[in-house]
Amino acid sequence: MIRNLARDVQAFTSNVFLVTGETTALVDAGANFDLLARLSEHVDDLDRLYLTHTHPDHVKNVGAAREAFDVETWGYDADSDYVDNGIADGETVPLGDDEYEALYTPGHAADHLCFYAAETGVCFAGDLVFANGGFGRTDLEGGDRPTLVESIEYLHETVEDGLSALHVGHGPSVTERPLDDVEIALRSSQMG
Ligand SMILES: [Zn+2]
């Protein structure tokens, strides 16, 4: 089961997905809202915390989660204070009841990962692409447009045969023809 704990939060935060199952985990921690209060409505414990990247709106609540659950974090850049365990491109990690492949997808941030479960077609895309074909900004530190386009191509290639749900870092998830949104994002980002 996948829930967005940051739904309806009126503050500057990323989405925060709670995935329950054999490995109960968060995808991103969010910022500027009481994560623990929202978590406690659903779970008593947390096995893992995954980070799509370490921009402040995705990680400010990491400290609260670490303190409350003694939970370790996983992300691309093991040198980051927010990341306890580095994940390499192509590595597989447990999330909920499924195995997700990590896709190293820089461009919006230098340490950006997407997570994709080929078996179910579920993808957590962070700030690489958004609903309706939006894509991540590249004017922040570590951002680069040509690199972003390559990353969207990589995502598209990986998910094109099976994508069933796209959960993104900001705004709504897409469960109706999500590949269309990835294709629009790819074309719009290529147009510059
Ligand atoms: Zn970001």
Side-chain angles (χ1 to χ4, degrees):
M1 171 122 196
I2 299 170
R3 293 182 182 88
N4 179 10
L5 298 182
R7 225 189 120 179
D8 304 325
V9 171
Q10 302 294 322
F12 183 53
T13 180
S14 69
N15 289 332
V16 175
F17 295 102
L18 171 63
V19 187
T20 50
E22 205 171 312
T23 303
T24 294
L26 289 180
V27 178
D28 290 328
N32 306 313
F33 74 98
D34 190 346
L35 173 66
L36 300 182
R38 291 197 172 216
L39 261 174
S40 67
E41 292 171 22
H42 307 288
V43 294
D44 310 316
D45 208 359
L46 206 52
D47 297 316
R48 290 184 173 218
L49 170 48
Y50 294 109
L51 299 171
T52 60
H53 61 297
T54 55
H55 280 160
D57 52 321
H58 293 251
V59 301
K60 271 197 192 167
N61 286 335
V62 164
R66 275 175 168 160
E67 226 167 275
F69 300 108
D70 208 18
V71 67
E72 290 189 18
T73 64
W74 274 257
Y76 182 75
D77 180 9
D79 289 335
S80 163
D81 290 343
Y82 294 105
V83 176
D84 300 315
N85 305 278
I87 304 175
D89 178 52
E91 200 175 314
T92 293
V93 293
L95 176 55
D97 291 321
D98 299 292
E99 290 289 321
Y100 281 72
E101 185 185 353
L103 310 174
Y104 178 52
T105 41
H108 166 73
D111 63 348
H112 195 284
L113 293 171
C114 296
F115 298 94
Y116 180 60
E119 206 161 303
T120 57
V122 175
C123 181
F124 294 93
D127 287 3
L128 181 63
V129 296
F130 302 111
N132 305 310
F135 53 89
R137 57 191 287 191
T138 52
D139 58 332
L140 302 170
E141 200 192 321
D144 181 68
R145 176 62 85 83
T147 306
L148 184 89
V149 173
E150 278 175 34
S151 289
I152 300 175
E153 284 168 355
Y154 175 36
L155 175 73
H156 180 258
E157 229 164 71
T158 306
V159 306
E160 69 180 329
D161 293 330
L163 186 64
S164 65
L166 184 65
H167 299 290
V168 295
H170 300 274
S173 296
V174 186
T175 52
E176 299 260 318
R177 302 176 58 87
L179 190 64
D180 289 358
D181 297 58
V182 175
E183 285 175 348
I184 298 166
L186 179 57
R187 282 197 299 273
S188 337
S189 66
Q190 284 166 337
M191 280 190 281

